[in-house]
Amino acid sequence: MSSTSEVSAARYGKDKIRVFRIVREANIQHVVEYNVCALLEGDIDTSYTQADNSVIVATDSIKNITYFFAKTSPHILDPEKFALHLGTFFVSKYAHVHKAFITVEQLRWARIAVDGTPHPHAFWRDGDDKRITSVEVDATAGKDKLVGKVTSGISDLLVLKSSGSAFENFYKDEFTTLVPASDRILSTAVDLSYTFAPIALTPPADEKKLDFAVPVDVPGNGVPAGGLVGGPWDGPGVAARARKVTLDVFATDESASVQATLYKMAQQLIAQNTHIASVTYSLPNKHYIPVDMRYLGIDNLTPANAEVFAPVAAPSGLITATVTRIQQ
Ligand SMILES: O=c1[nH]c(=O)c2[nH]c(=O)[nH]c2[nH]1
């Protein structure tokens, strides 16, 4: 039977690989907790079209390799480098695998401060936000010409301010019921992601040794010469600055709208991180509605007297934008 359809895209692997790793030093221990997704692309169409399992590296093996790298990779504490290392291995080891997609979601474990001193091996979950990195290792130009594409960010960073936010002078027509607010609650769960300029990766000289050659910048990838902050893969540094600038701008901006505050966050993030090409923010506007108590003769509606609010789960606004560096 002649076929009227074909596989036009295929990618498979293991999702939600939960990894916790301890790195022990003499007087201090470091821990990370990751949820890893490792997906592969390549010459795998026959596994779909002809039930040809010979091209399938089992997702169980992909899981085992992820744990093996969690044990052996010198980059385990740095999610960008760890993901690049793992992805480089898949495309280097398997001839028919041309791309690896590794996503690492990092959960927070901060040191407990005992009388102000960070404890060497006791930690607490100091926030529900996650640090996320998505790495593509692309070997389509050749196994010796690997390109790493990295997008990282933060999700679920829940914030609220009880003042310092207004929303006025918006478009008005017959559908408008919203009352302009000069002082309102602003709350959002920040999702943000930023894209690094792509880099060339040198494949490991000896795949069994699993050493990771230091990535070098791709010529013409838009990275300003000598302009890298803390080296090309200072992923942890960028993530810390992104979190700080987001929280600082959120707190201190006299917000005219979610849109205007978003733009200020993005502008500063790009200004502070010279190898970030663009940043995307996604900000739900989580509404808090003052409770109408007029039936009790109580004013809880006029701005100065609005003190009791009903947090509204849905609907929420949703404000998104991508802000991109202008190449000078
Ligand atoms: O900051 C805001 N941006 C909007 O686009 C919007 N729309 C709305 O109803 N309230 C708000 N607030």
PDB file of all heavy atoms in Angstrom, residues 160 185 187 285-293 300-301 306-315:
ATOM      1  N   LEU A 160       3.737  39.661  45.402  1.00  0.00           N
ATOM      2  CA  LEU A 160       2.578  40.542  45.615  1.00  0.00           C
ATOM      3  C   LEU A 160       3.072  41.841  46.210  1.00  0.00           C
ATOM      4  O   LEU A 160       3.988  41.851  47.038  1.00  0.00           O
ATOM      5  CB  LEU A 160       1.580  39.864  46.574  1.00  0.00           C
ATOM      6  CG  LEU A 160       0.319  40.661  46.941  1.00  0.00           C
ATOM      7  CD1 LEU A 160      -0.870  39.714  47.129  1.00  0.00           C
ATOM      8  CD2 LEU A 160       0.513  41.518  48.191  1.00  0.00           C
ATOM      9  N   ILE A 185      -3.630  46.423  44.534  1.00  0.00           N
ATOM     10  CA  ILE A 185      -2.763  45.271  44.783  1.00  0.00           C
ATOM     11  C   ILE A 185      -2.261  44.770  43.435  1.00  0.00           C
ATOM     12  O   ILE A 185      -3.009  44.724  42.456  1.00  0.00           O
ATOM     13  CB  ILE A 185      -3.551  44.154  45.505  1.00  0.00           C
ATOM     14  CG1 ILE A 185      -3.902  44.589  46.935  1.00  0.00           C
ATOM     15  CG2 ILE A 185      -2.769  42.847  45.507  1.00  0.00           C
ATOM     16  CD1 ILE A 185      -4.770  43.592  47.679  1.00  0.00           C
ATOM     17  N   SER A 187      -0.256  41.364  41.977  1.00  0.00           N
ATOM     18  CA  SER A 187       0.309  40.052  42.286  1.00  0.00           C
ATOM     19  C   SER A 187       0.448  39.252  41.006  1.00  0.00           C
ATOM     20  O   SER A 187      -0.420  39.294  40.139  1.00  0.00           O
ATOM     21  CB  SER A 187      -0.582  39.304  43.276  1.00  0.00           C
ATOM     22  OG  SER A 187      -0.044  38.013  43.530  1.00  0.00           O
ATOM     23  N   ASN A 285      -1.890  38.446  35.809  1.00  0.00           N
ATOM     24  CA  ASN A 285      -2.308  39.498  36.745  1.00  0.00           C
ATOM     25  C   ASN A 285      -3.350  38.877  37.662  1.00  0.00           C
ATOM     26  O   ASN A 285      -4.501  38.693  37.282  1.00  0.00           O
ATOM     27  CB  ASN A 285      -2.877  40.685  35.961  1.00  0.00           C
ATOM     28  CG  ASN A 285      -3.150  41.893  36.842  1.00  0.00           C
ATOM     29  OD1 ASN A 285      -2.871  41.875  38.031  1.00  0.00           O
ATOM     30  ND2 ASN A 285      -3.706  42.946  36.255  1.00  0.00           N
ATOM     31  N   LYS A 286      -2.918  38.498  38.870  1.00  0.00           N
ATOM     32  CA  LYS A 286      -3.785  37.766  39.801  1.00  0.00           C
ATOM     33  C   LYS A 286      -4.617  38.787  40.576  1.00  0.00           C
ATOM     34  O   LYS A 286      -4.067  39.509  41.419  1.00  0.00           O
ATOM     35  CB  LYS A 286      -2.931  36.902  40.742  1.00  0.00           C
ATOM     36  CG  LYS A 286      -2.184  35.798  39.992  1.00  0.00           C
ATOM     37  CD  LYS A 286      -1.062  35.262  40.834  1.00  0.00           C
ATOM     38  CE  LYS A 286      -1.091  33.805  41.174  1.00  0.00           C
ATOM     39  NZ  LYS A 286      -1.911  32.856  40.577  1.00  0.00           N
ATOM     40  N   HIS A 287      -5.901  38.820  40.247  1.00  0.00           N
ATOM     41  CA  HIS A 287      -6.743  39.903  40.755  1.00  0.00           C
ATOM     42  C   HIS A 287      -7.155  39.685  42.214  1.00  0.00           C
ATOM     43  O   HIS A 287      -7.434  38.562  42.639  1.00  0.00           O
ATOM     44  CB  HIS A 287      -7.998  40.025  39.885  1.00  0.00           C
ATOM     45  CG  HIS A 287      -7.688  40.264  38.433  1.00  0.00           C
ATOM     46  ND1 HIS A 287      -6.914  41.323  38.000  1.00  0.00           N
ATOM     47  CD2 HIS A 287      -8.027  39.577  37.321  1.00  0.00           C
ATOM     48  CE1 HIS A 287      -6.807  41.282  36.666  1.00  0.00           C
ATOM     49  NE2 HIS A 287      -7.467  40.215  36.240  1.00  0.00           N
ATOM     50  N   TYR A 288      -7.184  40.787  42.947  1.00  0.00           N
ATOM     51  CA  TYR A 288      -7.680  40.820  44.323  1.00  0.00           C
ATOM     52  C   TYR A 288      -8.806  41.850  44.344  1.00  0.00           C
ATOM     53  O   TYR A 288      -8.566  43.032  44.104  1.00  0.00           O
ATOM     54  CB  TYR A 288      -6.572  41.217  45.305  1.00  0.00           C
ATOM     55  CG  TYR A 288      -5.595  40.095  45.563  1.00  0.00           C
ATOM     56  CD1 TYR A 288      -4.710  39.671  44.583  1.00  0.00           C
ATOM     57  CD2 TYR A 288      -5.584  39.440  46.789  1.00  0.00           C
ATOM     58  CE1 TYR A 288      -3.836  38.619  44.806  1.00  0.00           C
ATOM     59  CE2 TYR A 288      -4.706  38.388  47.031  1.00  0.00           C
ATOM     60  CZ  TYR A 288      -3.835  37.985  46.030  1.00  0.00           C
ATOM     61  OH  TYR A 288      -2.979  36.938  46.269  1.00  0.00           O
ATOM     62  N   ILE A 289     -10.034  41.397  44.612  1.00  0.00           N
ATOM     63  CA  ILE A 289     -11.208  42.264  44.492  1.00  0.00           C
ATOM     64  C   ILE A 289     -11.650  42.700  45.888  1.00  0.00           C
ATOM     65  O   ILE A 289     -11.905  41.848  46.759  1.00  0.00           O
ATOM     66  CB  ILE A 289     -12.392  41.503  43.824  1.00  0.00           C
ATOM     67  CG1 ILE A 289     -11.913  40.758  42.563  1.00  0.00           C
ATOM     68  CG2 ILE A 289     -13.551  42.453  43.527  1.00  0.00           C
ATOM     69  CD1 ILE A 289     -11.604  41.621  41.378  1.00  0.00           C
ATOM     70  N   PRO A 290     -11.752  44.038  46.121  1.00  0.00           N
ATOM     71  CA  PRO A 290     -12.249  44.480  47.432  1.00  0.00           C
ATOM     72  C   PRO A 290     -13.672  43.986  47.663  1.00  0.00           C
ATOM     73  O   PRO A 290     -14.509  44.030  46.749  1.00  0.00           O
ATOM     74  CB  PRO A 290     -12.210  46.006  47.353  1.00  0.00           C
ATOM     75  CG  PRO A 290     -11.697  46.364  46.014  1.00  0.00           C
ATOM     76  CD  PRO A 290     -11.464  45.133  45.208  1.00  0.00           C
ATOM     77  N   VAL A 291     -13.935  43.493  48.874  1.00  0.00           N
ATOM     78  CA  VAL A 291     -15.263  42.957  49.198  1.00  0.00           C
ATOM     79  C   VAL A 291     -16.222  44.127  49.457  1.00  0.00           C
ATOM     80  O   VAL A 291     -15.888  45.058  50.210  1.00  0.00           O
ATOM     81  CB  VAL A 291     -15.182  42.034  50.433  1.00  0.00           C
ATOM     82  CG1 VAL A 291     -16.578  41.566  50.841  1.00  0.00           C
ATOM     83  CG2 VAL A 291     -14.272  40.843  50.129  1.00  0.00           C
ATOM     84  N   ASP A 292     -17.376  44.073  48.822  1.00  0.00           N
ATOM     85  CA  ASP A 292     -18.395  45.115  48.978  1.00  0.00           C
ATOM     86  C   ASP A 292     -19.137  44.895  50.304  1.00  0.00           C
ATOM     87  O   ASP A 292     -19.824  43.886  50.472  1.00  0.00           O
ATOM     88  CB  ASP A 292     -19.371  45.051  47.789  1.00  0.00           C
ATOM     89  CG  ASP A 292     -20.362  46.204  47.796  1.00  0.00           C
ATOM     90  OD1 ASP A 292     -20.437  46.922  48.822  1.00  0.00           O
ATOM     91  OD2 ASP A 292     -21.054  46.372  46.772  1.00  0.00           O
ATOM     92  N   MET A 293     -18.959  45.810  51.247  1.00  0.00           N
ATOM     93  CA  MET A 293     -19.629  45.685  52.559  1.00  0.00           C
ATOM     94  C   MET A 293     -20.656  46.787  52.776  1.00  0.00           C
ATOM     95  O   MET A 293     -21.027  47.080  53.918  1.00  0.00           O
ATOM     96  CB  MET A 293     -18.575  45.730  53.672  1.00  0.00           C
ATOM     97  CG  MET A 293     -17.577  44.587  53.607  1.00  0.00           C
ATOM     98  SD  MET A 293     -16.418  44.643  54.984  1.00  0.00           S
ATOM     99  CE  MET A 293     -15.501  43.132  54.687  1.00  0.00           C
ATOM    100  N   ASN A 300     -15.672  49.466  52.322  1.00  0.00           N
ATOM    101  CA  ASN A 300     -14.452  48.686  52.018  1.00  0.00           C
ATOM    102  C   ASN A 300     -14.091  48.827  50.538  1.00  0.00           C
ATOM    103  O   ASN A 300     -13.312  48.041  50.010  1.00  0.00           O
ATOM    104  CB  ASN A 300     -14.681  47.209  52.387  1.00  0.00           C
ATOM    105  CG  ASN A 300     -13.401  46.391  52.332  1.00  0.00           C
ATOM    106  OD1 ASN A 300     -12.448  46.671  53.054  1.00  0.00           O
ATOM    107  ND2 ASN A 300     -13.354  45.399  51.445  1.00  0.00           N
ATOM    108  N   LEU A 301     -14.690  49.843  49.882  1.00  0.00           N
ATOM    109  CA  LEU A 301     -14.494  49.985  48.434  1.00  0.00           C
ATOM    110  C   LEU A 301     -13.629  51.179  48.064  1.00  0.00           C
ATOM    111  O   LEU A 301     -12.818  51.087  47.135  1.00  0.00           O
ATOM    112  CB  LEU A 301     -15.844  50.094  47.716  1.00  0.00           C
ATOM    113  CG  LEU A 301     -16.746  48.849  47.753  1.00  0.00           C
ATOM    114  CD1 LEU A 301     -18.000  49.094  46.934  1.00  0.00           C
ATOM    115  CD2 LEU A 301     -16.015  47.610  47.250  1.00  0.00           C
ATOM    116  N   ALA A 306     -10.172  50.282  51.455  1.00  0.00           N
ATOM    117  CA  ALA A 306     -10.193  48.895  50.943  1.00  0.00           C
ATOM    118  C   ALA A 306      -9.128  48.094  51.673  1.00  0.00           C
ATOM    119  O   ALA A 306      -7.928  48.291  51.480  1.00  0.00           O
ATOM    120  CB  ALA A 306      -9.952  48.895  49.438  1.00  0.00           C
ATOM    121  N   GLU A 307      -9.597  47.202  52.542  1.00  0.00           N
ATOM    122  CA  GLU A 307      -8.664  46.423  53.369  1.00  0.00           C
ATOM    123  C   GLU A 307      -8.901  44.918  53.257  1.00  0.00           C
ATOM    124  O   GLU A 307      -7.983  44.129  53.477  1.00  0.00           O
ATOM    125  CB  GLU A 307      -8.801  46.845  54.839  1.00  0.00           C
ATOM    126  CG  GLU A 307      -8.358  48.279  55.082  1.00  0.00           C
ATOM    127  CD  GLU A 307      -8.765  48.806  56.447  1.00  0.00           C
ATOM    128  OE1 GLU A 307      -9.876  48.464  56.928  1.00  0.00           O
ATOM    129  OE2 GLU A 307      -7.992  49.564  57.044  1.00  0.00           O
ATOM    130  N   VAL A 308     -10.126  44.532  52.938  1.00  0.00           N
ATOM    131  CA  VAL A 308     -10.450  43.103  52.822  1.00  0.00           C
ATOM    132  C   VAL A 308     -10.696  42.804  51.348  1.00  0.00           C
ATOM    133  O   VAL A 308     -11.529  43.450  50.700  1.00  0.00           O
ATOM    134  CB  VAL A 308     -11.695  42.731  53.663  1.00  0.00           C
ATOM    135  CG1 VAL A 308     -12.038  41.262  53.468  1.00  0.00           C
ATOM    136  CG2 VAL A 308     -11.451  43.055  55.123  1.00  0.00           C
ATOM    137  N   PHE A 309      -9.975  41.832  50.845  1.00  0.00           N
ATOM    138  CA  PHE A 309     -10.028  41.511  49.413  1.00  0.00           C
ATOM    139  C   PHE A 309     -10.340  40.027  49.242  1.00  0.00           C
ATOM    140  O   PHE A 309      -9.951  39.196  50.072  1.00  0.00           O
ATOM    141  CB  PHE A 309      -8.681  41.804  48.743  1.00  0.00           C
ATOM    142  CG  PHE A 309      -8.291  43.255  48.777  1.00  0.00           C
ATOM    143  CD1 PHE A 309      -7.712  43.809  49.912  1.00  0.00           C
ATOM    144  CD2 PHE A 309      -8.512  44.076  47.675  1.00  0.00           C
ATOM    145  CE1 PHE A 309      -7.353  45.148  49.961  1.00  0.00           C
ATOM    146  CE2 PHE A 309      -8.153  45.417  47.717  1.00  0.00           C
ATOM    147  CZ  PHE A 309      -7.576  45.956  48.858  1.00  0.00           C
ATOM    148  N   ALA A 310     -11.001  39.711  48.155  1.00  0.00           N
ATOM    149  CA  ALA A 310     -11.191  38.313  47.768  1.00  0.00           C
ATOM    150  C   ALA A 310     -10.189  38.007  46.657  1.00  0.00           C
ATOM    151  O   ALA A 310     -10.294  38.559  45.562  1.00  0.00           O
ATOM    152  CB  ALA A 310     -12.620  38.092  47.282  1.00  0.00           C
ATOM    153  N   PRO A 311      -9.211  37.153  46.949  1.00  0.00           N
ATOM    154  CA  PRO A 311      -8.295  36.733  45.872  1.00  0.00           C
ATOM    155  C   PRO A 311      -9.073  35.908  44.857  1.00  0.00           C
ATOM    156  O   PRO A 311      -9.822  35.008  45.237  1.00  0.00           O
ATOM    157  CB  PRO A 311      -7.249  35.874  46.592  1.00  0.00           C
ATOM    158  CG  PRO A 311      -7.403  36.193  48.053  1.00  0.00           C
ATOM    159  CD  PRO A 311      -8.851  36.550  48.241  1.00  0.00           C
ATOM    160  N   VAL A 312      -8.907  36.233  43.581  1.00  0.00           N
ATOM    161  CA  VAL A 312      -9.695  35.575  42.542  1.00  0.00           C
ATOM    162  C   VAL A 312      -8.772  34.647  41.750  1.00  0.00           C
ATOM    163  O   VAL A 312      -7.781  35.091  41.163  1.00  0.00           O
ATOM    164  CB  VAL A 312     -10.330  36.628  41.608  1.00  0.00           C
ATOM    165  CG1 VAL A 312     -11.081  35.960  40.474  1.00  0.00           C
ATOM    166  CG2 VAL A 312     -11.272  37.523  42.398  1.00  0.00           C
ATOM    167  N   ALA A 313      -9.114  33.361  41.781  1.00  0.00           N
ATOM    168  CA  ALA A 313      -8.256  32.378  41.093  1.00  0.00           C
ATOM    169  C   ALA A 313      -8.368  32.523  39.573  1.00  0.00           C
ATOM    170  O   ALA A 313      -7.379  32.390  38.849  1.00  0.00           O
ATOM    171  CB  ALA A 313      -8.639  30.969  41.514  1.00  0.00           C
ATOM    172  N   ALA A 314      -9.570  32.772  39.102  1.00  0.00           N
ATOM    173  CA  ALA A 314      -9.773  32.876  37.656  1.00  0.00           C
ATOM    174  C   ALA A 314     -10.985  33.761  37.386  1.00  0.00           C
ATOM    175  O   ALA A 314     -11.911  33.785  38.198  1.00  0.00           O
ATOM    176  CB  ALA A 314     -10.013  31.484  37.068  1.00  0.00           C
ATOM    177  N   PRO A 315     -11.023  34.475  36.276  1.00  0.00           N
ATOM    178  CA  PRO A 315      -9.929  34.573  35.312  1.00  0.00           C
ATOM    179  C   PRO A 315      -8.831  35.493  35.837  1.00  0.00           C
ATOM    180  O   PRO A 315      -9.052  36.291  36.741  1.00  0.00           O
ATOM    181  CB  PRO A 315     -10.606  35.180  34.078  1.00  0.00           C
ATOM    182  CG  PRO A 315     -11.709  36.024  34.649  1.00  0.00           C
ATOM    183  CD  PRO A 315     -12.181  35.307  35.879  1.00  0.00           C
TER     184      PRO A 315
END
